[in-house]
């Protein structure tokens, strides 16, 4: 009978021991993750030295949590492209240097986009992503400023629609900036090309690269013109409730896809893929907002000095930061793949 009474006590002791062991394993697992993360940071965030230097410089700038996560995603795409190019170069498949030139242009776009190209007029002013993103930021174009001002005071848009429209305006601003960077690069290359006295095979190759750059400029300009017409129409008439897509990048892709050399079946398949892409963008946007809220909360908790509360907020912030970076990379990679397919279709039209 005494043995029977001892069983519950024994079970309780075993449970306590198991809980202690589980806690130990959980603690060790967390410490292991922290150590692995530390090693990764020691080794460098990226496998390309130049990209690590840019990332380290960015840590010292006053970029918001969201912009820093966006930069990380951009650099991951650049890293993927540079490593792919190194393989091509080793196999002798970039003899004309076109892909290398494009990589340099892309990096220049990134540096300018985040105010790291050394030019004062490109330095970014950090803003609160949630509270004053639509007030303290500028569009750098009188036509866009005028349209945005009219849209805000028209009474045609709810707060949610105004937020969506602002994202479209910001997207258009980025397209203009990228076009101007590419235009400047082409102009410099043309100046060098004109100064060459003796034409050679190498210069004919460079001429072909220039032709490809002009085609890229033409595509970007067409997208800018289509985008502005859409903004003008939406700003005056409000949103069309029957519109198929809402996200500006998806709308751009769909407009270009309809002009590309796709069959009806291919176009329908592309439409379905764009729906999945739009859902992915919305998910990324949701995490961006959560990251900014978490960052603001973390700063507030740091001021209160509650250590346990601070640790919990740091863990949540780190998790959101990694998730936002990961989703940002997936969105940019998907956008790159979709844009490439459309570009091939448009080139086929020109042949």
């Amino acid at each position: 009978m005494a043995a029977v009474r001892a069983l519950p006590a024994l079970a309780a002791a075993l449970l306590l021991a198991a809980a202690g062991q589980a806690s130990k394993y959980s603690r060790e697992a967390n410490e292991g993750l922290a150590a692995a993360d530390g090693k990764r940071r020691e080794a460098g965030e990226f496998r390309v030295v130049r990209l690590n230097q840019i990332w380290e410089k960015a840590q010292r700038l006053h970029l918001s949590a969201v912009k820093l996560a966006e930069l990380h995603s951009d650099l991951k795409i650049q890293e993927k492209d540079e490593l792919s190019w190194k393989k091509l170069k080793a196999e002798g498949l970039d003899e004309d240097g076109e892909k290398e030139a494009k990589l340099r242009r892309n990096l220049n776009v990134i540096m300018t986009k985040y105010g790291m190209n050394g030019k004062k007029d490109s330095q970014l002013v950090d803003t609160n992503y949630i509270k004053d993103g639509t007030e303290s930021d500028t569009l750098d174009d009188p036509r866009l400023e005028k349209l945005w001002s009219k849209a805000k005071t028209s009474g045609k848009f709810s707060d949610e629609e105004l937020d969506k429209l602002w994202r479209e305006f910001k997207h258009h601003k980025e397209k203009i900036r990228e076009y101007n960077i590419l235009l400047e690069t082409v102009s410099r290359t043309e100046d060098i090309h004109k100064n060459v006295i003796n034409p050679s095979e190498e210069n004919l190759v460079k001429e072909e690269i220039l032709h490809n750059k002009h085609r890229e400029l033409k595509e970007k300009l067409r997208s800018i013109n289509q985008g502005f017409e859409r903004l003008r129409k939406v700003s005056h008439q409000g949103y069309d409730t029957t519109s198929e897509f809402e996200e500006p990048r998806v709308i751009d892709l769909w407009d270009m896809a309809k002009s590309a050399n796709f069959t009806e079946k291919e176009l329908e398949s592309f439409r379905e893929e764009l729906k999945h892409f739009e859902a992915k963008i919305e998910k990324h946007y949701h995490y961006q907002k959560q990251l900014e809220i978490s960052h603001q909360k973390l700063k507030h908790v740091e001021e209160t000095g509650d250590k346990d509360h601070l640790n919990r907020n740091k863990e949540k912030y780190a998790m959101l930061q990694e998730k936002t970076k990961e989703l940002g990379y997936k969105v940019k990679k998907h956008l790159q793949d979709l844009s490439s397919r459309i570009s091939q279709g448009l080139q086929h039209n020109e042949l």
Side-chain angles (χ1 to χ4, degrees), residues 158-308:
S158 65
D159 288 346
E160 188 180 335
E161 285 174 332
L162 272 178
D163 182 52
K164 187 169 71 174
L165 184 60
W166 177 250
R167 284 164 66 187
E168 288 203 47
F169 272 96
K170 289 286 290 174
H171 173 62
H172 193 78
K173 174 187 170 180
E174 285 304 316
K175 285 201 296 185
I176 293 171
R177 179 188 283 181
E178 288 183 17
Y179 173 81
N180 287 332
I181 293 167
L182 181 59
L183 184 62
E184 188 183 334
T185 308
V186 170
S187 300
R188 281 201 309 267
T189 311
E190 279 182 335
D191 287 342
I192 294 166
H193 189 68
K194 284 173 187 173
N195 290 331
V196 175
I197 299 168
N198 298 317
S200 64
E201 192 177 330
E202 186 183 343
N203 288 321
L204 288 174
V205 167
K206 286 180 180 175
E207 198 169 307
E208 178 61 25
I209 293 173
L210 267 177
H211 174 72
N212 289 332
K213 284 182 182 178
H214 276 291
R215 187 172 61 228
E216 194 178 340
L217 273 172
K218 188 178 173 184
E219 285 177 18
K220 285 187 181 294
L221 188 58
R222 175 166 47 193
S223 176
I224 286 169
N225 289 333
Q226 285 178 341
F228 182 77
E229 278 307 305
R230 172 181 162 73
L231 283 174
R232 189 183 61 76
K233 185 179 175 184
V234 172
S235 298
H236 284 90
Q237 299 176 11
Y239 276 108
D240 179 4
T241 52
T242 62
S243 178
E244 193 154 16
F245 301 109
E246 296 183 358
E247 172 27 68
R249 282 168 289 186
V250 179
I251 292 165
D252 276 353
L253 288 169
W254 181 236
D255 286 342
M256 287 191 289
K258 286 185 287 187
S259 306
N261 193 36
F262 290 145
T263 64
E264 198 173 315
K265 189 177 178 181
E266 285 171 336
L267 196 60
E268 184 56 38
S269 172
F270 199 81
R271 184 208 304 263
E272 287 304 310
E273 192 166 348
L274 286 178
K275 287 178 183 176
H276 293 300
F277 181 50
E278 187 167 59
K280 193 181 287 183
I281 289 172
E282 287 302 322
K283 187 177 180 183
H284 178 226
Y285 183 59
H286 166 76
Y287 271 96
Q288 283 182 318
K289 288 196 284 188
Q290 293 304 309
L291 177 64
E292 183 56 43
I293 291 167
S294 176
H295 186 239
Q296 296 300 322
K297 193 172 180 181
L298 181 60
K299 286 200 289 187
H300 173 72
V301 173
E302 279 174 342
E303 291 167 8
T304 64
D306 183 339
K307 193 175 178 182
D308 288 340

Side-chain angles (χ1 to χ4, degrees), residues 76-137:
K76 287 297 284 183
I77 290 287
Q78 182 74 13
E79 177 185 54
K80 175 187 71 69
D81 292 344
E82 290 204 17
L83 293 174
S84 297
W85 169 75
K86 281 179 181 177
K87 283 184 183 177
L88 285 176
K89 191 182 178 186
E91 295 165 9
L93 296 175
D94 189 32
E95 289 181 9
D96 59 5
E98 184 191 342
K99 287 181 172 61
E100 184 181 8
K102 188 167 185 180
L103 280 172
R104 281 200 300 269
R105 288 203 304 276
N106 290 346
L107 190 60
N108 190 17
V109 168
I110 292 171
M111 298 289 281
T112 304
K113 184 178 173 182
Y114 296 96
M116 293 191 289
N117 63 345
K119 294 180 182 178
K120 286 183 181 177
D121 60 349
S122 70
Q123 292 299 314
L124 290 169
V125 177
D126 192 15
T127 60
N128 183 310
Y129 186 77
I130 304 299
K131 291 182 182 175
D132 58 10
T134 59
E135 299 301 326
S136 60
D137 213 345

